Structure formats: C-alpha cells, structure tokens
Amino acid sequence: MHIRSLRSVLLLLALASLLTACGDDEPAPGVHVRLMTTEADGPLEGVPELRATDDGVGRRYALESLGDGLYVARDAKPGAFRVLTDTGWGMLWTGRSASAAPLLRGGAYPATLVRMGRPRTLYVAATDPSLPSAPVSERWGAEARPLDSGADDPWERVTLDIRSQGDGMVALGFPAAVWRAGMAIRTVGFMSDGSVANLLSYMVLDAELHALPRLALVDVAPTAPLLVYPVAAAGTAGVEEGFSVGVTLAGVPIEASTEELTHAGLVAFEGLGVLGHGLHVHVGAGAGAWTCTVDDDTWRHRQELHLMAFPAGVGVTLALDLPADTVQDVRVCLRGAAVFARVPLLDGNRVRTYPGWQDVLIELKNGTWLHDTLRVGLDGAAEARERAEPEDACRVRGVVRGAGARAGVRFTRILEARAEPAAADDSGLPARRSAGEGFRAALDIDGNYSLAVPPGRYEIQVVTPVGPRGRPRTLDLRAGADVRLELQGR
C-alpha cells in the first residue's frame, strides 16, 4: 500500500483512533495492521513480522497478508509491537519521540496504520509543518565515526542517498559500512527557507536490528548574531564600502556559508545557526584575504569580532620571538587607532600586520598574556621592542540590571605612553584608550556576563545598540584577579 502524503497518514491515524473508540469491547482473535510505504520507497520488501515491546521478552509473531497492505498476526494479543521485516525494513512511528510503538488490536477495530521505511535510512521531517521554515529541504550532510573513538578523533564525511518522500519528508540513505552496530552518526541540513536545522545525533547500538530505519522530527536550530568590524590600516573600524566578509559554520557535515559586504564599517550577520560548533570568518578577497576561526563559546559570549583587513594585499610579516605553537591569539592596535583587532597567525609564531608603532597583545596557550609595544619596519623587523613578562588572565563577571536585548559590557583598556621615541621625529605611542577585539561581553538571557582579559586598567560600561547605558566603572586588574561586578543598564 502506497501513501503519497504524510498529512494523509496523520489524518488516517486520527480517524482510526476515533473508530477504535466506537468499536466492540471484544476484539476478534489476533491483531491487524495496515502497512504502507511511500511511492518513492516502493513496495515493502521481505517478510514482515511483529515483535512485542510490552511483554518483557520481545516475542515474535508472523504476519499474514490479507491484501491491500492489510496484515494479521493470528496468535498475537492486542498490545504494543515493533513491525519489521527480515530485510531490515522497519516502522516509522509518527509520535513526537519517533520511537513509541503503535498499539495493535483485533479485527473488530480498524487496523492501525503503520508507515514502513527502508533499511539504514533516517527519515526527517519538520516537527511543526505549519511553521514558516517548514518543510525540510533536500540539502543534508552527515558524518560518522566508531563509538569507541577518542574525543580528538576525526569524523568522516558520509555520502548520502537523499530521496524526497513528498509533503516535506526526506529520506537519508546511509551506506552499510556506516550504518552498523558500534557507529556514531550525526547529520544536519536546511529547512526550506534556508535556515539551518538542529543537529541530529544517532548511535547504532543494536547488533541484531542495527539496520532498522529511524524517523526524526527537526526544528530550526537556535541562532545568534555576529557583528564583524574590519579594521583598516588607518586605525579606524571602517573600510571601503563593499569589503567582503563571509561566515562558514565550522565542524558540521554540510557547507553552511553566507557572505555579506560592509556597510558603515561593519557586517551584521543576524541569524547564524548555533550547533555547538565554531565559525570560520573569511575577511577580504584576493591577496589580502585571510580566515579567522572562533570557537562556539567565544562567538556566543562576545557576538562581535574586530579583524584586521588588508584590502590591497599589503602588510608585513612580524616574527613574535616566541617558541612555535605556544601562541593562541594575537591582537594589534595600530598607532592612532582606538581598537584592537585580531591579525592572521602564521606558522604558530609569526603574524601579519602593518608597519609602524603598535601595541601587540599575545594570548598564549597556557592562559597567560604578553603585551608588546613596538615599531614594525617595512621589512617586518621589530624595533624599539618593549615587552612585559607573561601574566595570568583576569576574569570579570556579574549581572547587568535592566539593559534589554542585544546589550553587552564594553571594556576599554587604558594605556599609558609606551616606548621612548626612536628618533627626534618619532613620537612613539602616547597615552591612549583602546577597546575592540576581545573587550566586549554579551549578556545571556538572564543578564549575566563574563569576560577574561589581560591584566591592566579598564573602564567598564554597559552598551546597547543605541548607545552606552549607566555610569562607567574603572578597575585596575592585577594578574589572576577574579572580580564580580554588578552593573546598571538603565
């Protein structure tokens, strides 16, 4: 029996329940079930049977065909059963959990409708077909690895056989080498409106019945915003209009990318899917292009990035004079700038920057920070270097009262004049105030914030999309300090 529409299936199930309530109290011997498949899947293959799920032993019952998709198990008593075949076909129950076994009754009641699916196949559909994002699209990706893999072992991409089932349901067919006992599988795709669906994870545990299909009901993944400020060589947070910035979701088994052009000095990405993974942010194009990778925690807790832009492909390579593979992150504040910006890290201990006087904040992988003040020559050599010893990071956390949506806490780093002039016409770096990369904490739904920063003197203030709020507070943070500070956002 073929059914074209998932909605038709649900209506028939509802009708069956109503008729059941009006039936005779004494069911006929055996239980009846009507099995159906989609036209895309074709007719049911193999010999079907029932396995009880409520008798404690999983007793098996043969199903006898009565024609037109109707079957009877003459020896079975009414109860909950799994329906499967000897070729791996199995039932796709339409309960929200996608795992509840159907109740089968005798011939005095209408036969329960059970949808069957192909072996080693994950069927996906929108949880709520009435939502604007529904139904699901046919753009899906998957990856797998053994369950006994270590946390750092890679996931391997899987080639899927993707088949539309009609009316918003899509079947994802997996290779037999992947869908087998002892494997972990995860998959993600897009809804029809282009939004990313939530990530699905599945462990194949049953050695005997590992091939049975599954049904998953999906929603749109949660989203979070991201503001990207490309920082120009002149030291402002603005580049020419039309500068390109792209974002790709990192660590997911599908290409999920979006690209925007700068407007008024920034790029706003409003609805990036949160799947527990980070982002690849692509800055610029051509010879000046580079990619910044941020983890999920950094993205969600800051919601903005200041990234050095190299529109003309210019810039110099600066050696940090540090052991390779000890550097985590590097931020630069050029002379005349008011913001720090993250710069490309090359080969573990070199960065790309612009020539001239600049502050360089270096986060090491051991959690400490270095602050360099130096002048970079046209050949990339560092002159007049002034470096402090590594210091432990500081943490400031607390709650903001009455700030509203999209608010955050901005940290402005207050710096004294640094480095003696190298020549009579060289004014070094004067006293200055710098914010920018890594100096803003987003608020969670309860108004909490938390940010780790290098030691130093800071002015801290609540900021919103329409401007600062409340009075700024000044803190002198010593290495390793852990400060709790309540702020007012009104």
Short mmCIF file of all heavy atoms in Angstrom, two decimals, residues 367 369 391-397 411 450-458 460 475-485:
data_model
loop_
_atom_site.label_atom_id
_atom_site.label_comp_id
_atom_site.label_asym_id
_atom_site.label_seq_id
_atom_site.Cartn_x
_atom_site.Cartn_y
_atom_site.Cartn_z
N GLY A 367 47.33 30.19 28.90
CA GLY A 367 46.41 31.07 29.59
C GLY A 367 47.01 32.38 30.04
O GLY A 367 46.32 33.19 30.67
N TRP A 369 49.23 36.14 29.26
CA TRP A 369 49.23 37.20 28.24
C TRP A 369 50.57 37.92 28.22
O TRP A 369 51.22 38.11 29.26
CB TRP A 369 48.14 38.22 28.53
CG TRP A 369 46.75 37.74 28.26
CD1 TRP A 369 45.94 37.04 29.11
CD2 TRP A 369 46.01 37.94 27.05
NE1 TRP A 369 44.74 36.78 28.50
CE2 TRP A 369 44.75 37.32 27.24
CE3 TRP A 369 46.28 38.57 25.85
CZ2 TRP A 369 43.77 37.33 26.26
CZ3 TRP A 369 45.30 38.58 24.86
CH2 TRP A 369 44.06 37.97 25.08
N GLU A 391 51.72 37.31 32.05
CA GLU A 391 50.88 37.46 33.23
C GLU A 391 49.59 36.66 33.06
O GLU A 391 49.07 36.52 31.94
CB GLU A 391 50.53 38.93 33.47
CG GLU A 391 51.73 39.81 33.78
CD GLU A 391 51.31 41.23 34.04
OE1 GLU A 391 50.90 41.90 33.08
OE2 GLU A 391 51.39 41.68 35.21
N ASP A 392 49.08 36.15 34.18
CA ASP A 392 47.82 35.40 34.14
C ASP A 392 46.66 36.31 33.76
O ASP A 392 46.64 37.50 34.10
CB ASP A 392 47.54 34.77 35.50
CG ASP A 392 48.51 33.66 35.84
OD1 ASP A 392 49.04 33.04 34.90
OD2 ASP A 392 48.74 33.42 37.04
N ALA A 393 45.68 35.73 33.06
CA ALA A 393 44.50 36.48 32.67
C ALA A 393 43.65 36.84 33.88
O ALA A 393 43.75 36.21 34.95
CB ALA A 393 43.67 35.66 31.69
N CYS A 394 42.81 37.85 33.73
CA CYS A 394 41.86 38.27 34.75
C CYS A 394 40.45 37.95 34.25
O CYS A 394 40.20 37.91 33.05
CB CYS A 394 41.97 39.76 35.02
SG CYS A 394 43.64 40.32 35.40
N ARG A 395 39.54 37.73 35.19
CA ARG A 395 38.15 37.48 34.81
C ARG A 395 37.25 38.45 35.56
O ARG A 395 37.37 38.64 36.78
CB ARG A 395 37.74 36.05 35.13
CG ARG A 395 36.29 35.73 34.73
CD ARG A 395 35.99 34.26 34.83
NE ARG A 395 36.76 33.50 33.86
CZ ARG A 395 36.42 33.34 32.59
NH1 ARG A 395 35.32 33.91 32.12
NH2 ARG A 395 37.18 32.63 31.78
N VAL A 396 36.33 39.05 34.80
CA VAL A 396 35.32 39.93 35.38
C VAL A 396 33.96 39.35 35.00
O VAL A 396 33.72 39.07 33.82
CB VAL A 396 35.45 41.38 34.87
CG1 VAL A 396 34.40 42.27 35.52
CG2 VAL A 396 36.85 41.92 35.14
N ARG A 397 33.11 39.18 35.97
CA ARG A 397 31.80 38.58 35.72
C ARG A 397 30.77 39.25 36.62
O ARG A 397 31.12 39.89 37.62
CB ARG A 397 31.85 37.08 35.97
CG ARG A 397 32.07 36.68 37.41
CD ARG A 397 32.24 35.18 37.54
NE ARG A 397 33.65 34.80 37.41
CZ ARG A 397 34.07 33.54 37.36
NH1 ARG A 397 33.18 32.57 37.39
NH2 ARG A 397 35.35 33.26 37.28
N PHE A 411 34.69 46.78 27.58
CA PHE A 411 35.90 47.03 28.35
C PHE A 411 36.81 47.92 27.51
O PHE A 411 37.17 47.57 26.37
CB PHE A 411 36.63 45.73 28.67
CG PHE A 411 35.95 44.88 29.70
CD1 PHE A 411 34.68 44.36 29.49
CD2 PHE A 411 36.57 44.58 30.90
CE1 PHE A 411 34.05 43.56 30.42
CE2 PHE A 411 35.96 43.79 31.86
CZ PHE A 411 34.69 43.28 31.61
N SER A 450 30.43 37.54 31.40
CA SER A 450 31.72 37.05 31.90
C SER A 450 32.75 37.27 30.80
O SER A 450 32.48 36.98 29.63
CB SER A 450 31.64 35.57 32.27
OG SER A 450 32.89 35.08 32.68
N LEU A 451 33.92 37.78 31.17
CA LEU A 451 34.96 38.04 30.18
C LEU A 451 36.33 37.89 30.82
O LEU A 451 36.57 38.36 31.93
CB LEU A 451 34.82 39.45 29.60
CG LEU A 451 35.64 39.75 28.35
CD1 LEU A 451 35.15 38.93 27.17
CD2 LEU A 451 35.60 41.23 28.01
N ALA A 452 37.23 37.21 30.10
CA ALA A 452 38.63 37.10 30.51
C ALA A 452 39.44 38.10 29.71
O ALA A 452 39.33 38.17 28.47
CB ALA A 452 39.16 35.68 30.27
N VAL A 453 40.27 38.90 30.40
CA VAL A 453 41.05 39.96 29.75
C VAL A 453 42.46 39.95 30.32
O VAL A 453 42.72 39.43 31.40
CB VAL A 453 40.40 41.34 29.98
CG1 VAL A 453 39.03 41.42 29.30
CG2 VAL A 453 40.27 41.65 31.47
N PRO A 454 43.41 40.56 29.59
CA PRO A 454 44.76 40.70 30.13
C PRO A 454 44.76 41.65 31.33
O PRO A 454 43.87 42.51 31.45
CB PRO A 454 45.57 41.30 28.96
CG PRO A 454 44.71 41.13 27.76
CD PRO A 454 43.30 41.10 28.23
N PRO A 455 45.73 41.53 32.22
CA PRO A 455 45.81 42.48 33.33
C PRO A 455 45.98 43.91 32.81
O PRO A 455 46.51 44.15 31.73
CB PRO A 455 47.07 42.03 34.09
CG PRO A 455 47.27 40.61 33.69
CD PRO A 455 46.79 40.51 32.28
N GLY A 456 45.52 44.88 33.59
CA GLY A 456 45.65 46.27 33.20
C GLY A 456 44.55 47.11 33.79
O GLY A 456 43.75 46.67 34.63
N ARG A 457 44.49 48.35 33.35
CA ARG A 457 43.48 49.29 33.84
C ARG A 457 42.38 49.40 32.79
O ARG A 457 42.66 49.57 31.60
CB ARG A 457 44.10 50.66 34.09
CG ARG A 457 43.18 51.59 34.87
CD ARG A 457 43.86 52.89 35.19
NE ARG A 457 43.05 53.67 36.13
CZ ARG A 457 43.05 54.98 36.19
NH1 ARG A 457 43.84 55.69 35.37
NH2 ARG A 457 42.31 55.61 37.07
N TYR A 458 41.12 49.31 33.26
CA TYR A 458 39.98 49.28 32.33
C TYR A 458 38.88 50.21 32.80
O TYR A 458 38.66 50.39 34.01
CB TYR A 458 39.40 47.87 32.23
CG TYR A 458 40.30 46.88 31.57
CD1 TYR A 458 41.22 46.14 32.31
CD2 TYR A 458 40.26 46.67 30.19
CE1 TYR A 458 42.05 45.22 31.71
CE2 TYR A 458 41.09 45.74 29.57
CZ TYR A 458 41.99 45.03 30.34
OH TYR A 458 42.81 44.12 29.74
N ILE A 460 34.81 50.18 32.37
CA ILE A 460 33.80 49.18 32.06
C ILE A 460 32.44 49.86 32.03
O ILE A 460 32.07 50.58 32.96
CB ILE A 460 33.82 48.05 33.10
CG1 ILE A 460 35.22 47.41 33.16
CG2 ILE A 460 32.77 47.00 32.80
CD1 ILE A 460 35.40 46.43 34.29
N LEU A 475 38.43 49.91 36.77
CA LEU A 475 39.03 48.84 37.55
C LEU A 475 40.50 48.70 37.19
O LEU A 475 40.86 48.76 36.01
CB LEU A 475 38.34 47.50 37.28
CG LEU A 475 36.93 47.27 37.83
CD1 LEU A 475 36.46 45.88 37.44
CD2 LEU A 475 36.89 47.45 39.33
N ASP A 476 41.34 48.50 38.21
CA ASP A 476 42.73 48.13 38.00
C ASP A 476 42.84 46.64 38.28
O ASP A 476 42.71 46.21 39.43
CB ASP A 476 43.66 48.92 38.94
CG ASP A 476 43.76 50.38 38.53
OD1 ASP A 476 44.24 50.63 37.40
OD2 ASP A 476 43.36 51.26 39.32
N LEU A 477 43.05 45.85 37.23
CA LEU A 477 43.03 44.39 37.35
C LEU A 477 44.46 43.86 37.38
O LEU A 477 45.23 44.04 36.42
CB LEU A 477 42.27 43.78 36.16
CG LEU A 477 40.80 44.18 36.05
CD1 LEU A 477 40.20 43.57 34.79
CD2 LEU A 477 40.02 43.74 37.27
N ARG A 478 44.80 43.22 38.48
CA ARG A 478 46.10 42.58 38.60
C ARG A 478 46.03 41.16 38.05
O ARG A 478 44.96 40.58 37.93
CB ARG A 478 46.55 42.57 40.05
CG ARG A 478 46.77 43.96 40.63
CD ARG A 478 47.33 43.89 42.04
NE ARG A 478 47.59 45.22 42.57
CZ ARG A 478 48.11 45.44 43.77
NH1 ARG A 478 48.42 44.41 44.57
NH2 ARG A 478 48.33 46.69 44.18
N ALA A 479 47.17 40.62 37.74
CA ALA A 479 47.24 39.28 37.16
C ALA A 479 46.50 38.27 38.02
O ALA A 479 46.68 38.21 39.24
CB ALA A 479 48.70 38.86 36.99
N GLY A 480 45.63 37.47 37.39
CA GLY A 480 44.90 36.42 38.08
C GLY A 480 43.68 36.89 38.84
O GLY A 480 43.00 36.07 39.48
N ALA A 481 43.31 38.16 38.76
CA ALA A 481 42.16 38.68 39.51
C ALA A 481 40.86 38.05 39.01
O ALA A 481 40.71 37.77 37.83
CB ALA A 481 42.10 40.19 39.39
N ASP A 482 39.93 37.84 39.94
CA ASP A 482 38.60 37.34 39.62
C ASP A 482 37.60 38.25 40.31
O ASP A 482 37.43 38.20 41.53
CB ASP A 482 38.45 35.89 40.09
CG ASP A 482 37.17 35.24 39.55
OD1 ASP A 482 36.28 35.98 39.09
OD2 ASP A 482 37.08 34.00 39.58
N VAL A 483 36.95 39.11 39.52
CA VAL A 483 36.12 40.18 40.07
C VAL A 483 34.66 39.93 39.69
O VAL A 483 34.36 39.59 38.54
CB VAL A 483 36.57 41.55 39.53
CG1 VAL A 483 35.66 42.66 40.03
CG2 VAL A 483 38.02 41.82 39.92
N ARG A 484 33.76 40.13 40.67
CA ARG A 484 32.32 40.10 40.40
C ARG A 484 31.80 41.53 40.51
O ARG A 484 31.99 42.19 41.53
CB ARG A 484 31.60 39.17 41.37
CG ARG A 484 32.01 37.72 41.20
CD ARG A 484 31.20 36.78 42.08
NE ARG A 484 31.61 35.40 41.86
CZ ARG A 484 31.12 34.60 40.94
NH1 ARG A 484 30.18 35.07 40.13
NH2 ARG A 484 31.56 33.37 40.80
N LEU A 485 31.12 41.97 39.46
CA LEU A 485 30.71 43.37 39.38
C LEU A 485 29.31 43.46 38.81
O LEU A 485 29.03 43.03 37.69
CB LEU A 485 31.68 44.15 38.48
CG LEU A 485 31.45 45.65 38.35
CD1 LEU A 485 31.66 46.35 39.68
CD2 LEU A 485 32.39 46.23 37.30
#
